[in-house]
Amino acid sequence: MTDTTQTTAATAPVSASFGQTQDGTEVQLYTLTNGHGLKVSITNYGGTITSLLVPDKAGKPGEIVLGFADVSGYQSPEFRKAGPYFGALIGRYGNRIAKGRFTLDGQEYTLAKNNGENTLHGGKIGFDKVIWQAEPGTSAEGQTLKLTYLSKDGEEGYPGNLSVTVVYTLTADDTLKIDYSATTDKATPVNLTNHAYFNLSGGKDVLGHEVTIAADRYNVVDAGLIPTGELRPVKGTPFDFTTPHTIGERIAQVPGGYDHNWLLNPAAGQPAATVYEPTTGRTMQVSTTEPGLQFYTGNFLDGTLKGAKGQVYGKHAGFCMETQHFPDSPNQPTFPSTILKPGQTLKSTTIYKFGVRQ
């Protein structure tokens, strides 16, 4: 009898055209599969996860991420204006840097501002809008896609030539693993993440999803979503997900909805976060080597974007769990450092594990 898991792992991911960018560059879509019906599609444009099919409790695969059918969706005027970063790799610095500037080794650096007076997710042309070099392959765990990109000294205002490698692996035990690594020739802040929007139900919103986050503090932010520096206990607040709560249960108590960084402190061997969707039975566990988790509930989606099958992406159509260092760390000396120096190698791993509850 053939072991389907091994058979799948022995073959590299398949690739197909994902269309042309606005400047005429052909981009590819790589599809990784395992023996249990999981299938993830990733394009080398922005290292973007465009589709993730996961079986429900009846064994029927369904789409659980927000995305488009070809690259034009990620370059449309509507998408550019909305800026939701669906499924993309984020860098050089995920999340916000206040006033688009920081000082490092006595020198002030000015960044491209793209979020009011602040810099968000790397600037105007972050890692989500570049073409990555792609190498599909296999490992002992399953099918892989290795993506590499050289962010040159001065790109979006950041110092140093930063060489970045991201490896996506779809494993036999139903996890999507993302391994990040980076080196630089000049000290620079680095904060890499993925901006997938999940909806485990495939329905119109995620408010009925039950969420647990292993964190007893979160970053308090100002009106521009920049941390004030205060690390506030979650106990007794709508930010307390140490026990399961649905997203919609207390979201009205949070002005604008959830878009905050939680300080992770999972017990040994426990996930950083767990999500359960009762109608389909789908579950997702998030494990990471990162100290923080940006939990975002699609507050800015307004129905102007439509998915690969015409579905309307309205408010709360998806949620993000962006594993990361803290926002604005280069300007917050009490936060864990995000400075990568020559001779050092940044290494970070995040795992999304999928399953079902009957």
Side-chain angles (χ1 to χ4, degrees):
M1 194 167 134
T2 305
D3 182 332
T4 53
T5 303
Q6 287 189 346
T7 303
T8 304
T11 57
V14 297
S15 65
S17 172
F18 199 55
Q20 291 186 346
T21 61
Q22 289 170 345
D23 68 3
T25 304
E26 183 84 15
V27 294
Q28 296 293 307
L29 188 70
Y30 300 87
T31 301
L32 288 61
T33 57
N34 77 1
H36 299 153
L38 271 72
K39 184 183 290 189
V40 61
S41 296
I42 302 160
T43 175
N44 59 330
Y45 177 78
T48 302
I49 297 170
T50 66
S51 173
L52 180 52
L53 298 177
V54 175
D56 63 12
K57 61 187 175 184
K60 182 183 177 185
E63 181 63 72
I64 67 158
V65 298
L66 278 53
F68 302 115
D70 59 52
V71 73
S72 64
Y74 299 91
Q75 295 200 307
S76 73
E78 296 82 9
F79 187 76
R80 286 282 172 90
K81 182 181 178 184
Y85 299 91
F86 286 168
L89 291 178
I90 302 297
R92 182 174 300 197
Y93 198 94
N95 219 306
R96 292 167 175 82
I97 294 181
K99 297 183 168 41
R101 63 173 185 256
F102 64 91
T103 300
L104 179 58
D105 296 336
Q107 181 175 343
E108 182 171 278
Y109 292 91
T110 303
L111 308 173
K113 295 178 184 178
N114 63 328
N115 185 243
E117 64 176 4
N118 305 316
T119 298
L120 174 66
H121 292 333
K124 293 178 181 176
I125 304 177
F127 291 1
D128 61 297
K129 296 180 183 71
V130 301
I131 308 291
W132 293 67
Q133 295 297 312
E135 187 182 325
T138 62
S139 74
E141 295 177 291
Q143 294 187 337
T144 62
L145 181 66
K146 178 182 177 182
L147 298 170
T148 54
Y149 177 67
L150 176 62
S151 175
K152 293 187 177 175
D153 185 24
E155 186 173 290
E156 299 298 293
Y158 290 93
N161 292 294
L162 184 75
S163 180
V164 184
T165 299
V166 179
V167 180
Y168 288 103
T169 305
L170 184 63
T171 73
D173 65 350
D174 302 340
T175 64
L176 178 62
K177 185 170 77 153
I178 312 176
D179 289 303
Y180 304 88
S181 62
T183 57
T184 184
D185 60 4
K186 194 184 292 184
T188 186
V190 186
N191 190 22
L192 304 175
T193 191
N194 178 277
H195 211 305
Y197 285 67
F198 299 98
N199 183 328
L200 302 185
S201 73
K204 66 180 176 62
D205 67 50
V206 296
L207 298 178
H209 289 52
E210 293 180 9
V211 172
T212 310
I213 302 174
D216 52 19
R217 292 180 297 166
Y218 72 100
N219 286 122
V220 178
V221 293
D222 65 17
L225 296 173
I226 297 293
T228 63
E230 181 188 353
L231 307 177
R232 187 175 293 173
V234 300
K235 190 168 183 173
T237 77
F239 296 89
D240 188 350
F241 286 94
T242 53
T243 56
H245 290 274
T246 65
I247 292 174
E249 185 181 334
R250 302 166 301 173
I251 196 169
Q253 299 173 43
V254 182
Y258 295 108
D259 192 4
H260 299 73
N261 179 66
W262 273 253
L263 282 64
L264 298 173
N265 60 342
Q270 295 301 303
T274 302
V275 186
Y276 168 57
E277 202 291 301
T279 59
T280 63
R282 288 191 185 97
T283 62
M284 183 176 84
Q285 292 183 346
V286 184
S287 301
T288 185
T289 57
E290 291 293 291
L293 176 76
Q294 186 83 8
F295 175 47
Y296 170 57
T297 48
N299 314 315
F300 297 113
L301 298 175
D302 61 5
T304 56
L305 301 174
K306 293 184 178 177
K309 295 184 178 175
Q311 62 273 48
V312 175
Y313 292 147
K315 191 173 186 178
H316 309 312
F319 68 89
C320 303
M321 287 190 163
E322 304 156 67
T323 57
Q324 60 177 14
H325 270 62
F326 305 169
D328 197 35
S329 290
N331 294 311
Q332 304 263 2
T334 63
F335 289 1
S337 175
T338 56
I339 304 303
L340 181 67
K341 297 177 179 177
Q344 297 177 333
T345 300
L346 176 152
K347 284 192 178 296
S348 171
T349 298
T350 292
I351 293 171
Y352 298 97
K353 182 174 179 61
F354 302 98
V356 291
R357 253 184 241 170
Q358 294 296 337

